[in-house]
Amino acid sequence: MVSIEEPGKTIPAVVFGLVFPLFGIFLYTQFDYMGVNFYNDIILQISNDFSYTMFQWLYSLFKGDMINQLSIHGVAAFFITPLMSAVLTWFLHGFFIGVFIKKLKPMFIVSVVSALLLILFLIIFAVISDASYNTLSLIFNAELEKFLGSLLVLGIFMPIGGILGYFTGR
């Protein structure tokens, strides 16, 4: 059985890891990220169609496609939206968890668990939303390359941020 070493640090870090990316992706773009306006498309629509709005909100985390953006813009892609917002969000996600946890292995575990929970919630809301066939096919068929490119951003910049946060928090 797996035990939580320091629940006083781990549980708030997981909660932070789930909440920060949801808002962080919009913080760098004046709350309008890749055609999704935080106020109009998320806040106002959440009471109308909760599951689809949550899917749209979670899916906005995975629109920062590193592969296509680098092929189009080169290295300059790191300084323009959408890639810049995704890089900053996942970097700071790892950084703050690293500062808070202050141990390398638990920091990686908390970061990965929170990112996997966000992906799980994305899939759950895609399944229960009204347009479940369209939303799932959007992720796993039509835009699979973009989704994998955004997972690449998460996989590269979250650990870098976590390591820097670990050394900063010591």
Side-chain angles (χ1 to χ4, degrees), residues 45-75:
Q45 297 299 322
I46 205 157
S47 62
N48 295 337
D49 190 359
F50 179 77
S51 59
Y52 183 73
T53 304
M54 287 304 296
F55 163 75
Q56 187 177 14
W57 193 1
L58 288 162
Y59 190 56
S60 65
L61 290 173
F62 302 103
K63 286 186 175 181
D65 174 23
M66 192 161 120
I67 297 168
N68 288 328
Q69 291 296 318
L70 284 174
S71 68
I72 295 170
H73 302 288
V75 178

Side-chain angles (χ1 to χ4, degrees), residues 80-151:
I80 57 175
T81 303
L83 189 57
M84 177 200 60
S85 298
V87 166
L88 285 173
T89 298
W90 292 116
F91 176 82
L92 289 176
H93 173 266
F95 181 81
F96 289 133
I97 290 175
V99 166
F100 195 68
I101 297 286
K102 296 181 181 132
K103 292 183 181 175
L104 207 53
K105 185 177 176 184
M107 178 273 306
F108 279 120
I109 292 171
V110 168
S111 295
V112 169
V113 164
S114 61
L116 288 176
L117 283 172
L118 288 170
I119 293 169
L120 179 67
F121 290 145
L122 171 70
I123 292 170
I124 288 171
F125 283 114
V127 168
I128 63 174
S129 68
D130 291 336
S132 64
Y133 176 75
N134 292 335
T135 54
L136 281 176
S137 67
L138 176 73
I139 295 173
F140 296 113
N141 289 336
E143 296 188 5
L144 180 62
E145 181 182 329
K146 291 180 182 178
F147 186 70
L148 293 176
S150 66
L151 290 179

